[in-house]
Amino acid sequence: MDDFGKQLQEQEKALENIRHKLALLPDQPGCYLMKNREGTIIYVGKAKVLKNRVRSYFTGSHNGKTQMLVAEIRDFEYIVTGSNMEALILECNLIKTHQPRYNVLLKDDKTYPYLKITNEEHPRLEVTRRVLKDKAKYFGPYPNAYAAQQTKKLLDRMYPLRKCGVMPKEVCLYYHMGQCMAPCVKEVPKTAYEEITSEITSFLSGGHEEIKKELQRKMQEAAEDLYFERAKELRDQIIHIDTLMEKQKITTTDTRDRDVFGYAVDKGWMCVQILYMRQGKMVQRNKSIFPFYGDAHSDFMSFIAQYYSDNPAVPQEILLPGPILIEEADSDAQDSIAAKDDSISEGAGSRAAASNESGLAPGAGEGDTAGSPALAVAEDPSGSGSAGGPESPGQGEEADAKRLAAATKAQNERAEAAGLVDAAGGAAALQEWLGVKVHVPQRGLKRQMVGMAIENAKVALDEKFRLIERDEERTSIAAANLGEVIGIESLNRIEAFDNSNIQGTNPVSAMVVFTNGKPDKKEYRKYKIRTVQGPDDYETMREVIRRRYERVLKENLPLPDLIVVDGGRGQISAAIDVLENELGLFIPVCGLVKDAKHRTAQLMVGDPPQPVSLPRDSQEFYLLQRIQDEVHRFAISFHREQRGKSMVSSKLDSIPGIGEKRRKLLLKHFGSIKKIKEASVEDFKPLSIGEKLATDILNALRDEES
């Protein structure tokens, strides 16, 4: 039986096993782990009803990306949990442990600055980008390091906390400036620190108005007592407070810290937008764009669980959207309510206008601060449903609200039928886990804020696709222009070659294909050099060109419009000689010459080859650079792979009693030569290797190391 037949037989056996396991699935919440033919976990998911959710993968039709996942599944496991919250936490932990290729993986390494009051005997105020579980107090995130540093600078003037990293032996300048209580030489009572910490917390939590009033009172007293220098210092502090707080215009009448989430999906990609509101001010936004393969809302909830799993700086409230896949018939009701929501607060305008006012307009850069005025949203205590609970609709929108509520309810029922954790269930689980309020607003002003996050997510995703389309268009034009420069009417298919060896050892070559200026990875090919001894680049090029285009002629494969070789006159001449004199093919060949820093420097074309002038900043030159970098990367990676195999082979093949079959068995079981060296004689018994041969293997490998 050939390899294809064996694979088909294995697949049928695996599917039969899956069918038996599907019949035994429980009607309980939990997590499931999908595995491929090697037993590797490729996807982890959570479900409200395991039976319904896992079965849904093997019945009915799926979109393209989900079909890719399903095609690889050969087995699955499941873990039953007591609740949706346990399923959410377990899924998060399993994803972080196994890093499955089809899961949403939180890899955003961008960190934002926070203000931190350290948990020490003599606490300090500092700016940090690392939020740790160290019992310190954290405030933020801030839009950028400058905003955080300016806030710290103001607080340092107002509150005399320790400034030194290491306690000095005598008082420093900060003490003489009145900005430190000198714990290095004086006994500072704990109550003094508690009072300062409480005031800083109050200030950063929106109580700056009270503090400003107190400073104004002290300034007035100092002026009346003719302490004009002290009065000037207090006046400057008040000005600094006004300046700092004006930059972050109040957007809600309360001072709660909120994270507002929104997401959008298109073409198998998801964008999650987070709007950070701190002390009632919009201070920051963050976006993450990634491919997803499962259910959109479920993968979105997985993203949130990962986001908060290692972040102790959780806000007081989290606002989430519901599932976004609402039926077309219900979209009018949603739009109608959204329009009315937008008109409730004077000055809010449309959603787009609100985005503009908040500094989060379409096209605004990531990390933009809120402008002035910011999003005009007033706090409405009845403006959101808690973890899925609806609110009383306002007069005039009751009919639309009922239609939207009915649509949401129907959608949650469909989610439950499929075994998914619905919006309300997911929010409730998150609320129970994090211990903070989690809302899925149904209407009102909080829903407007979520709508703004969703709108920004849509804009960011649309921008990504427009940039890709623009890039593709420019690449196609560059390929056409390059054809004109070389003298080719149509330049659709380019095949590029590169050789790789180290002093003639493990010589290999690689070919990459670019179609209409874009890499076509299915067409890439690798070559082990058979006939050339030593580092002979010209003969290596002859062998590879001969082997490639003999096969092209034999199998009637498409011919390229242009062949690109890595090198100058010698490599071009060698390729042309084989093509024309041996194979009777007349295909244009060009060479890419590198400079002393191994960068693409010059294009050479013709027979005899002549340099072609091409501006370094042109799209055509950039395309050639991409081609040369790609083929070089592909060749180098293949060479390293072969070199690694030859090193392993030489170590094991030199041991009597070890053939190819046993070598593969050893490497598969232990994983590497290093692990084999560290093994004991008993570890070889599962491979049916006796004590004598196991001892010989260990002695040979350890002798080679010494």
Side-chain angles (χ1 to χ4, degrees):
M1 186 182 293
D2 59 9
D3 289 343
F4 179 74
K6 287 180 181 177
Q7 287 180 15
L8 197 60
Q9 195 175 44
E10 285 176 13
Q11 186 174 347
E12 288 175 355
K13 187 177 178 182
L15 291 175
E16 183 64 26
N17 179 50
I18 286 172
R19 277 193 287 271
H20 289 308
K21 292 177 80 171
L22 287 174
L24 303 175
L25 283 164
D27 295 325
Q28 291 173 269
C31 290
Y32 52 91
L33 301 88
M34 300 299 191
K35 299 182 177 181
N36 63 9
R37 58 185 297 186
E38 285 81 31
T40 304
I41 294 170
I42 58 174
Y43 187 76
V44 173
K46 61 184 173 301
K48 192 173 184 179
V49 183
L50 279 168
K51 179 192 288 186
N52 296 351
R53 181 57 184 150
V54 178
R55 278 181 174 177
S56 71
Y57 284 94
F58 306 99
T59 56
S61 59
H62 304 284
N63 61 37
K65 288 213 165 191
T66 306
Q67 190 58 46
M68 287 170 59
L69 162 64
V70 174
E72 284 195 46
I73 298 172
R74 293 293 179 272
D75 194 9
F76 69 86
E77 292 180 12
Y78 61 89
I79 302 169
V80 174
T81 60
S83 66
N84 289 341
M85 184 200 72
E86 290 177 11
L88 187 73
I89 298 171
L90 178 60
E91 181 198 39
C92 178
N93 292 335
L94 290 172
I95 289 172
K96 289 164 69 176
T97 301
H98 298 289
Q99 297 282 296
R101 61 174 295 198
Y102 287 109
N103 271 101
V104 169
L105 302 176
L106 186 57
K107 296 178 179 177
D108 187 6
D109 59 355
K110 182 172 181 179
T111 56
Y112 297 101
Y114 289 78
L115 279 177
K116 172 183 179 180
I117 302 176
T118 61
N119 179 38
E120 299 174 277
E121 184 183 355
H122 304 291
R124 291 177 298 135
L125 181 68
E126 58 183 36
V127 175
T128 182
R129 289 181 182 270
R130 297 181 63 202
V131 181
L132 307 172
K133 295 179 181 178
D134 55 1
K135 296 184 179 179
K137 289 182 179 293
Y138 290 90
F139 305 91
Y142 283 82
N144 49 56
Y146 177 77
Q149 292 289 355
Q150 287 297 104
T151 306
K152 179 182 180 298
K153 191 175 177 181
L154 170 63
L155 294 173
D156 281 340
R157 290 173 181 165
M158 296 169 60
Y159 301 106
L161 287 180
R162 175 166 68 98
K163 307 293 186 296
C164 308
V166 178
M167 200 81 77
K169 293 182 181 178
E170 56 185 30
V171 295
C172 61
L173 185 60
Y174 286 112
Y175 170 72
H176 297 295
M177 294 168 63
Q179 295 183 20
C180 180
M181 293 185 288
C184 50
V185 296
K186 293 183 177 181
E187 187 71 30
V188 180
K190 190 176 181 182
T191 53
Y193 285 130
E194 288 174 352
E195 184 180 340
I196 290 174
T197 301
S198 175
E199 287 193 24
I200 291 176
T201 303
S202 173
F203 181 91
L204 294 174
S205 300
H208 59 277
E209 288 295 336
E210 291 298 319
I211 290 167
K212 196 170 81 168
K213 287 177 184 177
E214 180 63 18
L215 290 174
Q216 286 170 338
R217 185 187 63 77
K218 290 180 179 179
M219 181 184 71
Q220 191 67 33
E221 287 179 358
E224 289 173 358
D225 294 338
L226 304 182
Y227 293 128
F228 297 118
E229 287 187 7
R230 176 60 179 160
K232 181 178 179 298
E233 287 177 7
L234 293 167
R235 185 202 65 185
D236 290 345
Q237 287 186 8
I238 293 167
I239 291 171
H240 284 305
I241 291 174
D242 287 337
T243 303
L244 188 68
M245 292 305 156
E246 180 63 27
K247 288 179 182 176
Q248 299 175 16
K249 194 77 173 177
I250 291 179
T251 57
T252 59
T253 56
D254 72 348
T255 56
R256 306 200 76 179
D257 289 355
R258 291 186 180 90
D259 286 352
V260 183
F261 285 85
Y263 73 101
V265 295
D266 192 13
K267 300 180 180 69
W269 286 78
M270 178 183 293
C271 175
V272 177
Q273 283 272 352
I274 313 170
L275 306 181
Y276 300 104
M277 296 189 72
R278 295 297 180 262
Q279 300 99 55
K281 308 162 192 68
M282 193 78 72
V283 297
Q284 177 66 44
R285 78 165 178 171
N286 182 28
K287 69 177 177 186
S288 294
I289 300 178
F290 43 81
F292 75 101
Y293 297 86
D295 172 74
H297 193 75
S298 183
D299 281 1
F300 166 68
M301 292 301 295
S302 297
F303 174 92
I304 294 177
Q306 291 179 64
Y307 178 80
Y308 285 117
S309 62
D310 291 324
N311 186 2
V314 180
Q316 297 166 292
E317 187 175 66
I318 298 169
L319 302 184
L320 302 179
I324 58 175
L325 300 176
I326 296 178
E327 290 179 354
E328 289 294 324
D330 301 313
S331 62
D332 291 339
Q334 190 179 13
D335 292 340
S336 175
I337 292 180
K340 292 183 180 182
D341 286 342
D342 292 336
S343 64
I344 290 173
S345 177
E346 185 177 348
S350 65
R351 273 180 290 182
S355 297
N356 286 331
E357 290 173 352
S358 66
L360 297 171
E366 186 177 339
D368 294 341
T369 58
S372 177
L375 174 66
V377 178
E379 172 62 8
D380 179 3
S382 64
S384 76
S386 62
E391 310 162 82
S392 300
Q395 189 175 4
E397 52 180 63
E398 187 172 353
D400 286 338
K402 284 180 179 178
R403 290 180 62 195
L404 181 60
T408 305
K409 182 182 178 183
Q411 193 169 37
N412 284 339
E413 287 173 355
R414 289 196 296 273
E416 187 169 358
L420 295 165
V421 178
D422 58 25
L430 200 63
Q431 179 167 302
E432 186 180 352
W433 178 28
L434 298 177
V436 299
K437 290 183 179 179
V438 181
H439 298 299
V440 182
Q442 299 297 309
R443 62 191 61 81
L445 298 170
K446 287 184 180 178
R447 185 179 176 279
Q448 180 184 337
M449 292 158 66
V450 171
M452 177 182 171
I454 292 172
E455 195 64 35
N456 276 273
K458 289 177 181 176
V459 168
L461 206 53
D462 182 57
E463 186 179 78
K464 171 186 172 64
F465 292 129
R466 283 192 286 112
L467 284 172
I468 291 172
E469 288 168 6
R470 186 183 174 201
D471 231 20
E472 289 179 352
E473 184 181 344
R474 290 170 71 182
T475 301
S476 300
I477 293 170
N481 291 344
L482 182 62
E484 288 181 16
V485 170
I486 297 172
I488 303 171
E489 288 184 11
S490 176
L491 184 55
N492 298 319
R493 183 182 177 94
I494 300 172
E495 296 185 357
F497 296 84
D498 190 16
N499 305 324
S500 182
N501 67 81
I502 295 179
Q503 296 180 344
T505 61
N506 302 109
V508 299
S509 190
M511 180 195 79
V512 302
V513 177
F514 275 62
T515 305
N516 294 324
K518 292 171 283 186
D520 189 353
K521 297 196 175 184
K522 298 190 297 298
E523 298 283 334
Y524 286 15
R525 295 293 180 268
K526 304 171 182 176
Y527 298 92
K528 291 181 187 177
I529 302 305
R530 300 169 182 166
T531 61
V532 181
Q533 300 297 321
D536 190 334
D537 210 30
Y538 301 154
E539 286 304 313
T540 299
M541 187 61 68
R542 285 176 179 274
E543 179 186 327
V544 173
I545 294 291
R546 185 182 297 114
R547 285 168 58 186
R548 167 62 183 169
Y549 295 104
E550 277 181 348
R551 184 166 186 176
V552 166
L553 291 171
K554 183 179 177 182
E555 299 182 12
N556 199 26
L557 300 174
L559 287 166
D561 300 307
L562 176 68
I563 295 171
V564 178
V565 298
D566 185 65
R569 290 183 173 85
Q571 286 85 351
I572 295 172
S573 298
I576 290 174
D577 182 41
V578 172
L579 288 167
E580 295 184 359
N581 299 329
E582 295 184 28
L583 304 175
L585 294 173
F586 295 88
I587 303 170
V589 179
C590 72
L592 296 177
V593 183
K594 294 177 182 174
D595 60 18
K597 294 184 179 178
H598 213 68
R599 294 176 304 193
T600 306
Q602 196 174 51
L603 171 67
M604 300 194 76
V605 182
D607 188 18
Q610 297 296 326
V612 175
S613 178
L614 210 57
R616 286 287 188 109
D617 59 350
S618 66
Q619 285 295 317
E620 295 74 32
F621 192 84
Y622 174 62
L623 174 60
L624 290 173
Q625 277 184 318
R626 283 180 59 209
I627 292 171
Q628 189 167 41
D629 290 346
E630 178 68 358
V631 70
H632 183 66
R633 177 201 65 78
F634 193 49
I636 286 290
S637 62
F638 182 44
H639 181 254
R640 284 174 181 158
E641 178 187 319
Q642 294 303 308
R643 194 170 75 239
K645 284 182 180 177
S646 68
M647 289 170 69
V648 169
S649 300
S650 63
K651 288 178 181 179
L652 291 175
D653 288 345
S654 60
I655 302 170
I658 300 295
E660 184 180 353
K661 189 174 180 181
R662 265 193 175 145
R663 185 185 77 232
K664 289 180 179 177
L665 196 64
L666 282 164
L667 290 171
K668 185 176 180 181
H669 181 74
F670 290 102
S672 67
I673 291 287
K674 183 183 177 185
K675 293 283 179 64
I676 298 174
K677 286 179 189 176
E678 294 169 352
S680 63
V681 172
E682 288 73 23
D683 293 332
F684 290 85
K685 287 182 180 178
L687 304 178
S688 302
I689 292 178
E691 186 176 336
K692 183 178 183 305
L693 181 55
T695 305
D696 290 345
I697 293 169
L698 293 173
N699 289 339
L701 292 177
R702 289 165 184 170
D703 288 346
E704 187 176 291
E705 190 177 46
S706 59

